């Protein structure tokens, strides 16, 4: 049985006091304990959010990291720095990083390897653009992203990895993939992983992301292969985010 995982991706939102307010509100709401709840917050909030979630089952995530432990990489944050704070998860290869910050499959792969080595669970984002979907290339693109990200990974590590399928045309647009379209791609991702690593693919959790909201979450989570959601906009309000966790 795969434990459902709902992760909030705050992106570049919330200063420290706003972050703490949100977490306090979230803690006050009754949440489904069968769902793993993750908050992927800006670097500047990690430390304080970590102390605020102490003693709860809420997990902490970062939104990116470098693959080296330390060095001359101005502006970057190392996996050891995240580890010191007690970060559990790290989002890698988000489409906004691919689009605006030159993230490519090769760097995603390096980061995935380092994250696993340091004991941080990667949430690897994959997904096609609208143009790619319009010419029926979505599976080809996603297959490439998945296989590249997982290149050289040990089979025994596959179950520690979360993949988030996020069609780029559905992110922040209010337009979601239909739940069956999402499920279809997520099945395909699992088959792709199985083709390379075998049946451990059944232990790997695959989320859907892209305009997941309180009004569509139950339909999405009812699909056979969707194990959770990576959520941007709707994770910025405690009440909405709790509704997603309580789908
Ligand atoms: P959204 O973002 O829920 O605002 O569409 C999802 C994401 O980018 O992870």
């Amino acid at each position: 049985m795969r434990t459902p995982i709902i992760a909030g991706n705050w992106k570049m939102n919330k200063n420290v006091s706003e972050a703490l307010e949100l977490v306090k509100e979230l803690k006050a709401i009754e949440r489904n304990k069968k769902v793993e709840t993750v908050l992927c917050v800006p670097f500047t909030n990690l430390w304080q959010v970590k102390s605020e979630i102490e003693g709860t089952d809420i997990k902490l995530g970062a939104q990116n990291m470098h693959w080296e432990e330390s060095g001359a990489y101005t502006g970057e944050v190392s996996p050891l720095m995240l580890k010191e704070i007690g970060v559990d998860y790290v989002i890698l290869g988000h489409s906004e990083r691919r689009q605006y910050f030159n993230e490519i499959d090769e760097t995603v792969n390096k980061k995935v390897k380092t994250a696993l080595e340091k004991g941080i669970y990667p949430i690897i984002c994959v997904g096609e653009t609208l143009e790619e979907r319009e010419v029926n290339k979505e599976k080809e693109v996603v297959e490439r992203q998945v296989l590249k990200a997982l290149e050289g990974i040990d089979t025994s590590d596959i179950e520690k990895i979360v993949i988030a399928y996020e069609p780029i045309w559905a992110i922040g647009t209010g337009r979601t993939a239909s739940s069956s379209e999402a499920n279809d791609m997520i099945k395909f991702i699992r088959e792709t992983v199985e083709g390379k690593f075998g049946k451990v693919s059944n232990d790997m959790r695959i989320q859907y992301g892209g305009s997941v909201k309180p009004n569509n979450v139950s339909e999405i989570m009812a699909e056979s292969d969707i194990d959770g959601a990576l959520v941007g906009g709707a994770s910025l309000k405690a009440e909405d985010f709790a509704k997603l966790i309580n789908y």
Side-chain angles (χ1 to χ4, degrees):
M1 264 297 280
R2 300 185 294 263
T3 306
I5 175 167
I6 306 272
N9 172 13
W10 290 5
K11 309 192 179 184
M12 197 174 70
N13 292 294
K14 309 261 176 216
N15 61 25
V16 172
S17 56
E18 291 164 340
L20 291 177
E21 193 183 315
L22 194 159
V23 177
K24 284 195 179 101
E25 280 170 24
L26 187 64
K27 286 201 306 188
I29 306 174
E30 192 75 44
R31 268 176 305 110
N32 183 351
K33 293 284 181 264
K34 294 199 182 93
V35 175
E36 191 172 4
T37 301
V38 187
L39 300 177
C40 300
V41 308
F43 292 128
T44 46
N45 295 342
L46 284 170
W47 190 260
Q48 280 92 344
V49 169
K50 177 68 188 177
S51 24
E52 191 57 48
I53 60 178
E54 206 68 65
T56 73
D57 60 349
I58 301 172
K59 305 276 176 61
L60 186 64
Q63 301 172 12
N64 182 34
M65 63 169 211
H66 198 274
W67 59 86
E68 292 287 352
E69 289 184 4
S70 63
Y73 300 102
T74 303
E76 289 291 318
V77 170
S78 104
L80 294 182
M81 296 169 182
L82 298 182
K83 199 63 200 166
E84 185 195 22
I85 298 177
V87 165
D88 306 289
Y89 287 90
V90 61
I91 298 175
L92 297 175
H94 190 279
S95 62
E96 284 149 17
R97 298 227 50 98
R98 295 180 193 256
Q99 192 179 349
Y100 306 126
F101 304 101
N102 301 320
E103 185 82 84
I104 52 171
D105 292 329
E106 285 72 17
T107 51
V108 174
N109 178 243
K110 286 185 186 183
K111 293 176 181 186
V112 171
K113 285 180 176 155
T114 312
L116 291 168
E117 220 176 88
K118 306 297 175 211
I120 304 172
Y121 300 122
I123 300 176
I124 305 170
C125 300
V126 299
E128 80 284 0
T129 62
L130 187 57
E131 295 74 45
E132 288 159 346
R133 182 165 275 261
E134 276 168 350
V135 294
N136 301 318
K137 287 227 155 107
E138 67 273 19
K139 289 203 166 146
E140 192 183 308
V141 169
V142 169
E143 181 180 35
R144 188 205 71 225
Q145 291 173 335
V146 169
L147 290 177
K148 279 279 191 185
L150 299 180
E151 210 168 270
I153 300 299
D154 215 77
T155 304
S156 62
D157 279 335
I158 291 297
E159 62 176 14
K160 299 175 191 155
I161 295 173
V162 177
I163 292 185
Y165 168 56
E166 300 203 305
I168 294 170
W169 45 272
I171 295 178
T173 56
R175 191 175 156 182
T176 32
S178 72
S179 53
S180 66
E181 263 173 338
N183 196 54
D184 182 52
M185 181 63 94
I186 286 176
K187 260 193 183 146
F188 172 74
I189 293 173
R190 204 178 300 287
E191 283 159 15
T192 301
V193 175
E194 186 186 339
K196 181 100 197 251
F197 297 93
K199 287 288 178 199
V200 281
S201 61
N202 287 325
D203 301 326
M204 190 179 80
R205 291 175 297 172
I206 311 181
Q207 301 172 304
Y208 168 75
S211 299
V212 176
K213 307 284 177 205
N215 65 7
N216 59 23
V217 67
S218 43
E219 191 192 330
I220 291 166
M221 292 303 291
E223 293 288 345
S224 61
D225 272 63
I226 303 182
D227 302 317
L230 182 58
V231 186
S235 72
L236 295 174
K237 271 179 66 188
E239 201 187 314
D240 287 348
F241 192 53
K243 282 185 186 151
L244 302 184
I245 298 160
N246 295 332
Y247 67 88

